[in-house]
Amino acid sequence: MLMDHTIVTLDEMRKKTKQMADTDELCSQHGGKYVEAFCDDHDAICCIECITENHRQCKMVRTLEQASLDIKTRLDPLVYRMNELEKQAVSVVEDRKTNMEDLLKQKKDVLTEVNKTRTDMQRYFETLETKLKEEIAQTHESLSEELQLQAHNFEHIFTNCRKRVLTASVNYGSNRDIFLTAFKLRKQCELYKIYIRSQSENSLRNDYSLHMNEIIKKFTNQIKSMGNVSIEQKSTNIVPSFYKYTRLSDCKYVGQILV
Amino acid sequence: MLMDHTIVTLDEMRKKTKQMADTDELCSQHGGKYVEAFCDDHDAICCIECITENHRQCKMVRTLEQASLDIKTRLDPLVYRMNELEKQAVSVVEDRKTNMEDLLKQKKDVLTEVNKTRTDMQRYFETLETKLKEEIAQTHESLSEELQLQAHNFEHIFTNCRKRVLTASVNYGSNRDIFLTAFKLRKQCELYKIYIRSQSENSLRNDYSLHMNEIIKKFTNQIKSMGNVSIEQKSTNIVPSFYKYTRLSDCKYVGQILV
Ligand SMILES: [Zn+2]
Ligand SMILES: [Zn+2]
Ligand SMILES: [Zn+2]
Ligand SMILES: [Zn+2]
């Protein structure tokens, strides 16, 4: 019952198998002694020393010759069992290999998806950049036009403040000519003054200010991974319930019957 | 007072300037009539018809000859004013050009920053991708190792189910040999069975499952722009307060004194 829960490591298993091979005819407990008997009570092969030490109270101790009578007729269960074990082992190996192949494919798909997500994001950022750049270009174009128009209008005032007209009039004209010219220029100045005053509220200093999207600004601090891959594990039926639930004590009993 | 709030468009201004130029000596109201008088009350040049129609109640209507007496000695304020207007116009033009040049530089800087943000984000996504791919590779490597070990261990069971040993023993050995061989094989089977049972809980079907970061998944739906550029406008002093706050009625008065 205790061994039922014992987990045998592969190393132990190999060691035991090797021990048995080495002790073909020799007792594993008593070096140099040949095995001579079989104890049914312990399901053990014994040398003479084993029997005197451990099997004196046992009820079913027979010589190997007695125990091996008709052995050939009692081998079928062992052969069946070895076949089952072999099938079992092969199916587990195949299942593990299939799972490995599937995982390799899945890994490839996952990497493709990760790559796609990354390139999609990169392309999306390029789209956002193009859009923002277009908006900036548009903003700049209309603001430039406005400023250029303002400059143009004030340039017009400048080129129309014709002091030369007044000078010419003063130098060559009659008082009446000068008066009329001065009158016109004064009226012009008044109009320009009104215009300048009307424009004073529009003559603003303009500066650009870039406001990055808050999520993008915080992105590198908030996003530390693109995601993760988890392994989903499901129980399988490759190891049949017979193997899973049989008790070791039952095994032993079955074993005794087999041989 | 009403005109104080009138905004003169540049077109109107040009039209008026043109009118004045056309009507050098001719009345703008009465085609074909020459201007002959000046009304101080209206600050207007009048033909004979103007006077009879609109200036009969006016107190200060003089002939142009009377009005233009000593005109040369009264031109300084107009010249000063034209100079001021010219300076004003030039400074506004220069200011607008400076602002345009600055905006061009700012636009360049903004575009550089937008570009940098985009490339930074793209590089960051490449970093995230590399990191995730490394994690996937690591997960895959250790899971593959585990599965390979499982396969290897079960392969060992398969290669050790030596049915040939039993067959050889049955064919060539004594009953005693067969008994001992069967005994060993049975013991071996028991050990393997214990091993298989101990491994049954580990023989799981493994599948990868990729979980993308929620923020990245929702990114293209939530982020519709990289940001925006706003124009910050500050009032300037290019149009001096004199122009801004002088009343038109005052202008007119000043104008009358000037000529
Ligand atoms: Zn012994
Ligand atoms: Zn015994
Ligand atoms: Zn007239
Ligand atoms: Zn009048």
Side-chain angles (χ1 to χ4, degrees):
Chain A
M1 283 298 279
L2 243 182
M3 273 191 80
D4 192 26
H5 297 285
T6 307
I7 287 170
V8 181
T9 70
L10 210 74
D11 274 351
E12 283 179 81
M13 197 167 70
R14 281 169 187 157
K15 205 170 137 199
K16 289 199 183 184
T17 305
K18 195 158 180 297
Q19 273 181 353
M20 285 190 278
D22 289 347
T23 58
D24 190 9
E25 295 283 324
L26 291 167
C27 179
S28 60
Q29 309 294 317
H30 308 95
K33 297 284 176 190
Y34 286 88
V35 289
E36 291 180 47
F38 177 70
C39 170
D40 266 351
D41 297 29
H42 287 90
D43 188 26
I45 286 169
C46 325
C47 74
I48 189 70
E49 291 204 23
C50 290
I51 291 164
T52 55
E53 276 174 23
N54 305 313
H55 304 278
R56 277 183 301 182
Q57 310 296 326
C58 298
K59 283 170 182 162
M60 284 288 281
V61 179
R62 292 173 288 171
T63 64
L64 284 177
E65 282 65 32
Q66 282 173 325
S68 61
L69 276 173
D70 302 324
I71 182 64
K72 283 188 190 179
T73 63
R74 289 180 286 141
L75 289 174
D76 282 358
L78 176 63
V79 171
Y80 175 80
R81 201 167 174 191
M82 287 172 82
N83 283 338
E84 285 300 302
L85 210 61
E86 185 184 303
K87 270 192 232 165
Q88 187 56 47
V90 168
S91 79
V92 170
V93 169
E94 275 170 7
D95 178 83
R96 298 296 82 187
K97 284 186 177 168
T98 304
N99 203 163
M100 271 191 277
E101 281 162 20
D102 290 352
L103 285 171
L104 200 67
K105 277 180 213 153
Q106 286 177 13
K107 182 193 152 205
K108 210 177 146 188
D109 292 347
V110 162
L111 290 180
T112 304
E113 199 180 328
V114 168
N115 187 278
K116 192 185 173 303
T117 303
R118 193 260 300 160
T119 50
D120 282 355
M121 289 303 285
Q122 287 193 330
R123 251 178 242 133
Y124 190 65
F125 269 95
E126 275 160 27
T127 314
L128 291 184
E129 188 193 15
T130 305
K131 203 177 128 212
L132 181 51
K133 281 187 169 174
E134 277 167 10
E135 284 165 14
I136 292 166
Q138 214 161 12
T139 300
H140 185 71
E141 200 179 338
S142 56
L143 184 55
S144 291
E145 264 172 31
E146 198 187 317
L147 289 172
Q148 221 142 13
L149 188 65
Q150 284 181 358
H152 182 76
N153 290 347
F154 280 86
E155 239 159 30
H156 181 262
I157 293 170
F158 168 62
T159 39
N160 274 296
C161 283
R162 287 170 294 181
K163 279 186 287 176
R164 277 174 303 137
V165 173
L166 187 62
T167 312
S169 184
V170 167
N171 290 341
Y172 308 109
S174 63
N175 273 1
R176 185 193 142 100
D177 289 335
I178 299 168
F179 180 86
L180 285 174
T181 304
F183 175 81
K184 281 185 291 172
L185 290 171
R186 185 166 58 76
K187 285 290 181 188
Q188 209 178 46
C189 283
E190 270 171 30
L191 286 168
Y192 283 141
K193 181 174 270 174
I194 293 163
Y195 177 74
I196 290 176
R197 204 186 315 149
S198 77
Q199 289 297 306
S200 69
E201 278 176 19
N202 300 331
S203 297
L204 298 163
R205 164 72 189 184
N206 300 280
D207 290 290
Y208 291 138
S209 175
L210 177 62
H211 311 279
M212 276 294 170
N213 187 307
E214 285 302 313
I215 300 178
I216 292 176
K217 267 161 75 180
K218 291 178 194 156
F219 198 82
T220 53
N221 281 326
Q222 284 186 345
I223 311 298
K224 293 298 181 196
S225 88
M226 213 165 152
N228 64 76
V229 160
S230 66
I231 302 167
E232 310 221 315
Q233 298 189 310
K234 283 167 222 144
S235 55
T236 58
N237 286 322
I238 12 160
V239 177
S241 49
F242 171 78
Y243 284 86
K244 286 183 189 167
Y245 307 114
T246 317
R247 288 181 179 177
L248 186 67
S249 54
D250 299 340
C251 283
K252 191 176 162 189
Y253 179 66
V254 171
Q256 278 176 267
I257 287 171
L258 287 179
V259 178
Chain B
M1 284 296 281
L2 244 179
M3 273 192 79
D4 193 25
H5 297 285
T6 307
I7 287 171
V8 181
T9 70
L10 209 73
D11 275 351
E12 282 180 81
M13 197 168 67
R14 281 169 187 157
K15 205 171 137 199
K16 289 197 183 186
T17 304
K18 196 157 181 299
Q19 273 180 352
M20 286 188 279
D22 290 346
T23 58
D24 191 7
E25 295 283 322
L26 292 168
C27 179
S28 61
Q29 311 294 318
H30 308 95
K33 297 282 177 189
Y34 285 87
V35 289
E36 291 179 46
F38 177 69
C39 171
D40 266 352
D41 297 33
H42 287 92
D43 189 27
I45 286 169
C46 326
C47 74
I48 189 69
E49 292 206 21
C50 290
I51 292 163
T52 55
E53 276 174 22
N54 305 310
H55 304 276
R56 276 184 301 181
Q57 310 296 323
C58 298
K59 283 170 184 163
M60 284 286 283
V61 179
R62 291 172 289 172
T63 63
L64 283 177
E65 281 64 34
Q66 282 174 324
S68 60
L69 276 174
D70 303 323
I71 181 67
K72 284 188 189 179
T73 64
R74 287 179 289 140
L75 289 173
D76 282 358
L78 176 64
V79 172
Y80 174 79
R81 200 165 176 193
M82 286 173 82
N83 283 337
E84 285 300 301
L85 209 61
E86 186 184 303
K87 271 191 233 166
Q88 187 55 47
V90 168
S91 78
V92 170
V93 170
E94 275 170 7
D95 179 83
R96 298 296 82 187
K97 283 184 178 169
T98 304
N99 203 162
M100 271 192 278
E101 280 161 21
D102 290 352
L103 286 171
L104 200 66
K105 278 179 214 152
Q106 286 176 14
K107 182 192 152 204
K108 212 177 145 190
D109 292 347
V110 162
L111 290 179
T112 305
E113 199 180 328
V114 167
N115 188 278
K116 191 184 174 303
T117 302
R118 193 259 301 159
T119 51
D120 282 354
M121 289 303 285
Q122 287 192 331
R123 253 180 240 131
Y124 189 65
F125 269 94
E126 276 159 27
T127 314
L128 291 184
E129 187 194 17
T130 306
K131 203 176 129 214
L132 182 51
K133 279 185 171 176
E134 277 168 9
E135 283 165 15
I136 292 166
Q138 213 161 11
T139 301
H140 185 70
E141 200 179 338
S142 57
L143 184 55
S144 291
E145 264 173 30
E146 196 187 318
L147 289 172
Q148 222 142 13
L149 187 66
Q150 284 181 356
H152 182 77
N153 289 348
F154 280 85
E155 238 159 31
H156 180 261
I157 292 170
F158 168 61
T159 38
N160 274 295
C161 282
R162 286 168 295 182
K163 280 187 287 178
R164 276 173 305 134
V165 173
L166 188 62
T167 312
S169 183
V170 167
N171 289 341
Y172 309 108
S174 63
N175 274 1
R176 184 193 144 101
D177 289 336
I178 301 169
F179 180 85
L180 285 173
T181 303
F183 175 80
K184 281 186 291 171
L185 288 172
R186 185 167 58 76
K187 285 289 180 188
Q188 208 179 46
C189 284
E190 271 171 29
L191 286 168
Y192 284 140
K193 181 174 269 173
I194 293 163
Y195 177 74
I196 290 176
R197 205 189 311 150
S198 77
Q199 289 298 305
S200 69
E201 277 176 19
N202 299 331
S203 297
L204 299 162
R205 164 72 190 185
N206 300 280
D207 290 290
Y208 291 137
S209 176
L210 175 63
H211 312 278
M212 277 293 171
N213 187 307
E214 286 300 313
I215 300 179
I216 293 177
K217 266 161 75 179
K218 291 177 194 157
F219 197 82
T220 53
N221 282 326
Q222 284 187 344
I223 310 298
K224 292 299 179 194
S225 89
M226 213 165 152
N228 65 74
V229 160
S230 67
I231 302 167
E232 308 222 316
Q233 298 188 311
K234 282 168 222 143
S235 56
T236 58
N237 286 322
I238 11 160
V239 176
S241 50
F242 171 79
Y243 283 86
K244 287 182 189 164
Y245 306 114
T246 316
R247 288 182 179 176
L248 187 65
S249 55
D250 299 340
C251 283
K252 191 176 161 187
Y253 180 66
V254 171
Q256 278 175 269
I257 287 171
L258 286 179
V259 176

